[in-house]
Amino acid sequence: TSKTLLDWIDARIQALGGKVARTARRWGRRNVQCCEDSLVRETAESTVRPHSQLMPVPAHLTEFWQAFARRNPTAAREEDFCGAWSFGDTEPLANELATLVLEGRKRGTASAAWCHEAENQRLPQPGDLSIVTDWGGVPLCVIRTATVEVVSFNQVGAEFAAAEGEGDGSLQFWRSAHRDFFTRECDAAGRTFDESMLVVCETFDVV
């Protein structure tokens, strides 16, 4: 199910010379601060690829990043920094999902593959470091992408739904919540949601 997206990625690498702007939205994440980077194909077995350009940590988050670096000197590689963002498309959702991450319940997030294509984004890749904030932009934690897999919405499995940690953790809840969100996202973009739509399923760890 991921072949079409991967073919598109190969085409974009050639067309854009390997450089695109990253403005990813994962489960409605917003305020991504992004850099240009190589567009790469990713699966759950992907290996970390170095970034072609460094993205500086935003000035207002420098103190937070420096504190993180003091606690995790070997993990805080600025070349792996990919952005600062909050989950969700509303304040209650953003703060609820961030709390789940801090509580250790949420270790996964999903995004519509078409959104990456439409906005000339590269896919997330293992080793990416991101600062998760609340809706107001207050930094909460740093996460590292662990795995990335592209599957159709109707092929997302119970294991990934449990990793997302939302609601009762069931696949039924995941499908209901994400069907609603992706429908809103598609409507806003003049698209129609379809359960064969490709979804980028990403797992992560709090560093």
Side-chain angles (χ1 to χ4, degrees):
T1 57
S2 61
K3 185 177 185 299
T4 300
L5 181 65
L6 297 180
D7 289 343
W8 172 83
I9 291 171
D10 287 337
R12 295 304 295 170
I13 291 173
Q14 296 178 8
L16 300 178
K19 304 290 184 180
V20 297
R22 185 184 185 202
T23 54
R25 294 185 54 170
R26 301 179 200 175
W27 187 195
R29 83 181 204 181
R30 68 185 190 102
N31 294 339
V32 179
Q33 308 202 15
C34 57
C35 60
E36 290 188 336
D37 208 335
S38 297
L39 202 65
V40 295
R41 70 174 63 193
E42 299 296 345
T43 67
E45 293 79 25
S46 295
T47 56
V48 176
R49 295 173 177 80
H51 297 291
S52 60
Q53 292 186 355
L54 294 182
M55 176 187 176
V57 176
H60 68 286
L61 296 176
T62 298
E63 184 176 350
F64 179 84
W65 180 267
Q66 289 176 343
F68 165 72
R70 287 193 294 270
R71 296 191 306 270
N72 303 274
T74 60
R77 291 161 38 97
E78 287 199 31
E79 57 265 39
D80 293 331
F81 178 75
C82 287
W85 43 267
S86 62
F87 291 103
D89 57 349
T90 65
E91 183 172 359
L93 181 59
N95 295 340
E96 174 189 351
L97 298 183
T99 298
L100 292 178
V101 172
L102 296 177
E103 292 176 347
R105 292 176 54 190
K106 182 173 177 63
R107 290 295 181 268
T109 189
S111 57
W114 66 259
C115 193
H116 293 262
E117 177 180 352
E119 298 181 9
N120 287 335
Q121 304 161 356
R122 72 160 173 83
L123 296 182
Q125 65 184 55
D128 284 352
L129 293 176
S130 304
I131 296 175
V132 174
T133 74
D134 66 11
W135 183 259
V138 176
L140 302 175
C141 65
V142 175
I143 63 172
R144 179 193 290 119
T145 300
T147 66
V148 181
E149 185 176 14
V150 181
V151 298
S152 60
F153 179 91
N154 56 18
Q155 292 298 312
V156 173
E159 183 177 358
F160 180 75
E164 285 246 31
E166 300 168 26
D168 61 4
S170 68
L171 180 57
Q172 181 179 4
F173 181 92
W174 186 94
R175 285 177 174 168
S176 176
H178 285 75
R179 184 182 294 110
D180 289 347
F181 172 76
F182 288 137
T183 296
R184 295 197 303 271
E185 187 173 52
C186 286
D187 287 348
R191 293 172 174 260
T192 300
F193 172 76
D194 186 290
E195 294 205 357
S196 65
M197 182 185 79
L198 292 177
V199 175
V200 182
C201 298
E202 174 185 1
T203 63
F204 57 82
D205 299 301
V206 175
V207 185

